[in-house]
Amino acid sequence: MDFLKTLGIKEDNFGASTGLNWYETKDQGVINIVSPTDGKPIAKVFQCSEKDYEEVTAKAAEAFKYWRMIPAPKRGEVVRQIGHKLREYKQPLGMLVSYEMGKSLQEGLGEIQEMIDICDYAVGLSRQLYGFTMVSEREKHRMYDQYHPLGIVGIITSFNFPVAVWAWNSAISTVCGNSNLWKPSSKTPLCAIAVQNLLADLIKENNLPEGLFSLVIGKGSTVGEKFLHDKRIPLVSLTGSTAVGKRAAAIIAQRFGKSILELGGNNAVIITQNADLKLAIPAVVFGAVGTAGQRCTTARRLIVHENVYEKVKEALLNAYQSLRVGNPLDEMNHVGPLIDKGAVEEFKHALKQVVQEGGKIIFGSEVLIGEDYESGCYVKPAIVEAENHYKIVQEETFAPILYLIKYKGDVQEAVELQNGVVQGLSSSIFTNDMREAEEFLSAWGSDCGIANVNIGTSGAEIGGAFGGEKETGGGRESGSDSWKQYMRRQTNTINFGTKLPLAQGIKFDL
């Protein structure tokens, strides 16, 4: 395919790069990448060795020593050029994301646009890395805080957003003065290799240090473990499952490292009896089936007031009937495949379990077969009438399953149902009642990191901080003041007088 050639993807690819050089190790195992779109092999990736990892990380550490000396606006200029390069290659990179991961082409292109947007944001941020001045209780003293670069920022990304999450982290990390070490998902490593190839020319043109943008693709049991334990990496940003995040956080904490964790979501949309269903139904459908349900912000639970329950159910069934499932590179299709056959098995298992617990499947659930679905990874999105307390409803199944849940009382009952899971990423309410909306946004309302009114649970903009609470991890990426996580904070006090008064009026006379 032409887009593979354009992005420098070869039949055989290597798994470690410092931005300028690739380490040509071949004896650590090979990953055969097969597209969930058509079941055809795309390319091979040779996994890197522990020795490769050590050399790449050493280069990243050296790059940091240089990069922290560069003024932040000049760092921003490099990120501006990255955004320009992404604009130039938006179409082929979006096609690769769609083909390797399986999301629709529109979503693939949207993911590249997200990368471009965060680069633009980071360029402006490079001139706004502000501190804060405080009033000192001691005369002729000035106090302020400032922020300094951290070092190497380790970025571990998941298959469902194979490039955007790297950009969320690296664009901001770079203007903050850090070097970046990326470990992508072994399910979608070609997207990472393509980005690394695009960066190579910029690194040469700007005479940037080798190791500023590095990549390692290797076994979790070896390279992955070294990544988590490595004291040279003061911050690890990890996107993945809650189970993986718990283990990683414990390891990083033991060495007093910092972590940004973007883990599981079990997101709910509340539809009250005062909702505008013309807004609500399209938002729920996109939130539930976008990326074939493989977003951390996917709408998984729909909590509907009994007075509009039947009307919402009918509208959903009509909308789902019109969904087109098929090749994601065909822009006429709404839903692509799941990432692999393992994900299909999880989809089937969850539906079997919810029925056993008392749920009723009212749409979908089939695994699609035929020449248009030859990869075996296509399913028909499912709607299930269920109750919030079901064990399977309490879990996150990374697949297009929407649980339809009824409530009877006021909005607080609906909020309690929404909050009654261990995850706390995204949430949404549809209502035209100001009091219901404000209850939802109050301190006793949604307990999620993201709470929306009259829009869905997915599709966050880069200007706001992204992340969640509880078992979602508590980290924040992208906008607002998330940049502070990529820097170390320092409080400074300057005495410009001729005396040495102590704080709190303490006397210490010699």
Side-chain angles (χ1 to χ4, degrees):
M1 295 185 176
D2 289 344
F3 63 85
L4 296 174
K5 185 177 180 181
T6 299
L7 296 168
I9 302 299
K10 303 172 184 176
E11 185 175 338
D12 294 333
N13 303 273
F14 297 105
S17 168
T18 58
L20 292 178
N21 296 304
W22 290 89
Y23 290 75
E24 299 184 357
T25 298
K26 290 187 175 182
D27 62 356
Q28 296 297 307
V30 63
I31 306 172
N32 293 296
I33 307 301
V34 175
S35 173
T37 298
D38 54 18
K40 295 178 180 179
I42 308 175
K44 298 177 181 177
V45 178
F46 292 104
Q47 297 183 106
C48 73
S49 66
E50 292 182 64
K51 182 174 182 290
D52 295 338
Y53 171 84
E54 287 295 333
E55 293 187 17
V56 168
T57 306
K59 291 288 187 183
E62 284 299 314
F64 166 67
K65 292 178 182 178
Y66 167 84
W67 195 239
R68 65 185 175 181
M69 302 289 290
I70 303 300
K74 291 186 177 180
R75 301 176 203 146
E77 167 57 19
V78 170
V79 174
R80 185 195 68 79
Q81 293 179 41
I82 294 173
H84 182 72
K85 181 71 73 173
L86 292 169
R87 285 180 171 88
E88 184 181 352
Y89 286 89
K90 179 179 176 179
Q91 186 70 26
L93 193 53
M95 292 179 75
L96 175 59
V97 168
S98 180
Y99 190 59
E100 185 181 25
M101 186 268 148
K103 64 176 62 176
S104 72
L105 181 57
Q106 280 298 312
E107 290 183 85
L109 294 171
E111 183 164 347
I112 311 310
Q113 187 60 50
E114 211 168 348
M115 299 174 78
I116 293 166
D117 292 345
I118 196 65
C119 285
D120 288 351
Y121 179 90
V123 173
L125 180 65
S126 69
R127 294 180 181 271
Q128 301 179 68
L129 300 175
Y130 56 85
F132 185 80
T133 300
M134 293 77 74
V135 176
S136 173
E137 68 183 61
R138 293 168 284 184
E139 65 177 40
K140 295 189 177 180
H141 280 61
R142 180 166 66 91
M143 290 172 46
Y144 68 96
D145 61 20
Q146 61 179 332
Y147 292 84
H148 294 305
L150 272 176
I152 302 172
V153 170
I155 305 168
I156 301 175
T157 56
S158 182
F159 73 86
N160 59 328
F161 280 85
V163 288
V165 173
W166 169 82
W168 280 11
N169 286 275
S170 64
I172 293 178
S173 167
T174 300
V175 300
C176 288
N178 304 305
S179 58
N180 305 277
L181 179 59
W182 185 9
K183 186 180 185 301
S185 168
S186 60
K187 295 184 179 183
T188 52
L190 299 180
C191 289
I193 292 170
V195 170
Q196 197 75 358
N197 288 339
L198 294 181
L199 291 173
D201 288 342
L202 286 177
I203 293 170
K204 293 174 186 175
E205 291 165 8
N206 289 276
N207 197 28
L208 299 177
E210 185 178 5
L212 184 59
F213 300 103
S214 299
L215 175 71
V216 288
I217 302 165
K219 297 174 183 176
S221 59
T222 54
V223 172
E225 286 299 299
K226 291 184 76 68
F227 199 105
L228 296 178
H229 285 88
D230 200 327
K231 291 184 177 181
R232 293 169 295 180
I233 305 176
L235 171 65
V236 175
S237 176
L238 183 150
T239 302
S241 69
T242 297
V244 169
K246 282 182 178 179
R247 184 174 181 278
I251 293 171
I252 296 164
Q254 284 177 351
R255 60 177 176 84
F256 293 98
K258 298 170 65 178
S259 59
I260 299 173
L261 302 175
E262 299 293 354
L263 309 176
N266 194 350
N267 316 294
V269 178
I270 296 170
I271 296 182
T272 78
Q273 58 187 327
N274 300 302
D276 181 344
L277 297 188
K278 290 181 180 179
L279 286 180
I281 299 302
V284 170
V285 175
F286 174 73
V289 307
T291 321
Q294 298 170 117
R295 288 177 176 236
C296 52
T297 54
T298 290
R300 307 202 181 279
R301 297 174 295 139
L302 183 60
I303 301 168
V304 185
H305 194 277
E306 63 176 357
N307 289 352
V308 292
Y309 183 86
E310 291 301 325
K311 189 174 183 180
V312 168
K313 183 167 76 170
E314 181 182 359
L316 276 176
L317 290 171
N318 289 334
Y320 269 60
Q321 288 283 1
S322 67
L323 289 175
R324 292 184 296 274
V325 181
N327 190 317
L329 291 174
D330 182 345
E331 295 191 62
M332 297 299 292
N333 290 326
H334 299 105
V335 185
L338 292 171
I339 185 64
D340 54 30
K341 291 181 180 178
V344 174
E345 289 303 313
E346 290 181 10
F347 173 77
K348 291 163 59 179
H349 171 76
L351 290 169
K352 180 180 179 180
Q353 185 170 333
V354 75
V355 170
Q356 290 175 344
E357 292 190 63
K360 180 183 179 183
I361 299 172
I362 61 174
F363 187 88
S365 78
E366 302 90 353
V367 178
L368 300 175
I369 57 175
E371 63 177 292
D372 292 335
Y373 311 111
E374 55 191 338
S375 70
C377 298
Y378 291 87
V379 301
K380 183 175 284 189
I383 304 174
V384 183
E385 290 185 299
E387 295 185 24
N388 202 60
H389 64 84
Y390 291 171
K391 183 176 183 296
I392 191 63
V393 176
Q394 291 284 309
E395 299 174 3
E396 178 191 40
T397 302
F398 228 47
I401 302 173
L402 180 64
Y403 298 116
L404 197 53
I405 300 164
K406 186 186 296 185
Y407 80 99
K408 298 180 180 180
D410 60 15
V411 72
Q412 197 59 41
E413 178 186 335
V415 169
E416 288 174 6
L417 287 170
Q418 178 213 281
N419 292 349
V421 293
V422 296
Q423 309 87 353
L425 178 53
S426 188
S427 58
S428 170
I429 190 171
F430 281 85
T431 179
N432 286 332
D433 187 306
M434 181 188 74
R435 290 174 177 169
E436 288 182 330
E438 291 296 334
E439 285 268 339
F440 177 75
L441 298 176
S442 71
W444 54 94
S446 170
D447 65 1
C448 296
I450 299 169
N452 298 328
V453 176
N454 291 333
I455 62 171
T457 57
S458 57
E461 297 181 37
I462 56 89
F466 180 88
E469 299 300 320
K470 302 190 292 189
E471 288 194 6
T472 298
R476 294 297 185 272
E477 294 172 322
S478 196
S480 186
D481 65 349
S482 298
W483 62 269
K484 293 179 179 179
Q485 296 170 106
Y486 301 87
M487 306 193 82
R488 58 180 177 87
R489 184 171 184 162
Q490 185 181 79
T491 300
N492 307 111
T493 305
I494 300 169
N495 177 1
F496 56 95
T498 58
K499 297 179 181 179
L500 190 67
L502 299 178
Q504 293 85 50
I506 294 172
K507 300 296 183 182
F508 186 75
D509 298 323
L510 293 176

